[in-house]
Every structure is written in structure tokens, then in C-alpha cells.
Amino acid sequence: MKIDDYELFQKNQETLKELSKDDNTKDINEYMVELENLAVDFDEVKRIYANSYKTTEEMLNSVDAIMNLKNHIFFIEFKNGKISSNTLQNNIKKKIYSSLLIFCDITNKNLNYIRENASFILVYNKDKNENSNSKKKIANYVYQKANENFTLFGLEKYKNLFFKNVYTYSENEFEDFIKKNT
């Protein structure tokens, strides 16, 4: 399945740079990545989807982007802040749940299809999550020996349950991943 096969996805594309924009600080736009690759603006898809059912977009959560890379679907969430609180981790989980429901409804695919053909990527700010980076460096060494990837922030439980794989990448790791796979 290609995401571009769906008109709603095709009409709502943006660059990864724009989708990674953090505009929470007044009058300051900060981009997590500089990538010009196109991806589906899933926040916009969620808005249109919610409105089509005569409800507000606040009823749902969504990941920032979805994209195809080498015949595989990636659900992508950008988090520029510190990821430590249970509240923020729960927010990410809600985004995963809602995004899967919306995606499956639009594409008429089931969860088993997602498990076999999609992965989740959380892109985090390396500087704001330094403790996580230290853990990741140590764990990556061990996991690479086992030919596995280490996942931060408790998101590994979604591997096999909802997604084929789950990745947590710093901004630079994500940029490298995209460049290697396009």
C-alpha cells in the first residue's frame, strides 16, 4: 500500500522540516530537522477526519506525520521538549491509539496489516533528554550485538502489539535514517 493512493493523504503533504516545527514559544519557530522529504501532515488529516464526523479535532490526537519508505509505513511523532513525565508519555500513547484508528478507518486496513507493514518513530530533542542519551548509548551497544534496536521512553511495548518496529531517534539519528532510506 502506498500512502499516495489515498486522496486525503495525497492532498495533505508537507516537508518533514515543517512537520517538525515547534511553535510553542511565542514568535519563535524551531525546527527539529531540516529535511525536505514530503510526508503526510497527519494533524491536518485528523482535523479533516474529525470535522467529517461533525466533531472537533480536540476529540482526537494524532502523530505529526506518516510516510512511506521502501514499501513500509512510518508513523512519526516529533517531541522537542523533555520527555520524562508520565503525562507526556501518556500523550504520545494517545496519539498512537487515535492515529491507528483514523488510519485504519481511512484505508480500510486492519491492525494486523499495521503490525506487518508499519513502524512508529519518536524523534526527540537530544539536548533536552540527555539522561536518555546516556542510557541509549550503553544499551545500543548491547542491542546491536543482538541485532536489535533500543527504544526509549517505554515505547518498546508497542512493538509487535501495534507496529512491526518502534524506534526512538534523536534529530540527527532521524535525519540519517531518512537519508539512508530514501
Side-chain angles (χ1 to χ4, degrees):
M1 180 201 121
K2 288 200 174 252
I3 291 172
D4 288 345
D5 292 343
Y6 295 86
E7 186 177 353
L8 182 58
F9 297 156
Q10 193 178 59
K11 287 184 173 182
N12 291 288
Q13 293 195 18
E14 190 56 75
T15 65
L16 287 170
K17 177 181 179 177
E18 283 297 318
L19 294 170
S20 77
K21 181 171 52 176
D22 180 1
D23 54 9
N24 287 331
T25 307
K26 187 177 178 181
D27 300 326
I28 298 173
N29 287 331
E30 186 176 347
Y31 299 92
M32 290 186 68
V33 297
E34 295 294 324
L35 296 163
E36 294 297 324
N37 306 67
L38 289 178
V40 175
D41 179 346
F42 213 64
D43 287 328
E44 183 62 15
V45 167
K46 171 201 71 170
R47 186 188 66 73
I48 294 167
Y49 178 86
N51 291 340
S52 74
Y53 287 98
K54 309 275 190 272
T55 189
T56 66
E57 63 187 281
E58 289 80 22
M59 294 289 296
L60 299 167
N61 296 285
S62 61
V63 296
D64 294 311
I66 56 171
M67 70 183 301
N68 278 110
L69 291 171
K70 295 185 176 180
N71 296 318
H72 193 76
I73 302 162
F74 289 90
F75 288 70
I76 304 163
E77 176 65 16
F78 295 98
K79 282 294 175 204
N80 194 31
K82 182 154 180 60
I83 304 170
S84 61
S85 71
N86 287 338
T87 303
L88 187 54
Q89 289 180 19
N90 286 335
N91 177 271
I92 293 167
K93 293 171 191 174
K94 287 178 187 176
K95 288 179 178 223
I96 290 172
Y97 295 146
S98 286
S99 296
L100 289 174
L101 287 170
I102 294 166
F103 183 87
C104 288
D105 194 26
I106 291 170
T107 62
N108 212 17
K109 301 291 183 191
N110 62 27
L111 192 53
N112 193 51
Y113 178 87
I114 300 297
R115 246 184 247 115
E116 293 173 6
N117 297 285
S119 294
F120 176 76
I121 299 173
L122 175 72
V123 183
Y124 65 93
N125 184 312
K126 180 179 172 182
D127 295 333
K128 294 177 183 174
N129 292 280
E130 288 188 36
N131 290 342
S132 299
N133 284 331
S134 300
K135 289 178 196 172
K136 190 170 184 178
K137 281 181 186 176
I138 295 165
N140 269 343
Y141 177 78
V142 175
Y143 276 74
Q144 283 176 350
K145 295 282 186 196
N147 208 22
E148 292 281 327
N149 72 297
F150 179 67
T151 307
L152 295 167
F153 313 114
L155 296 173
E156 66 278 351
K157 61 186 149 208
Y158 296 105
K159 180 179 178 182
N160 299 323
L161 176 62
F162 294 138
F163 298 106
K164 187 170 189 169
N165 278 303
V166 175
Y167 304 96
T168 51
Y169 291 138
S170 69
E171 312 96 305
N172 292 336
E173 290 171 329
F174 179 68
E175 285 192 356
D176 290 345
F177 173 80
I178 295 295
K179 289 173 185 172
K180 286 178 188 171
N181 287 288
T182 52

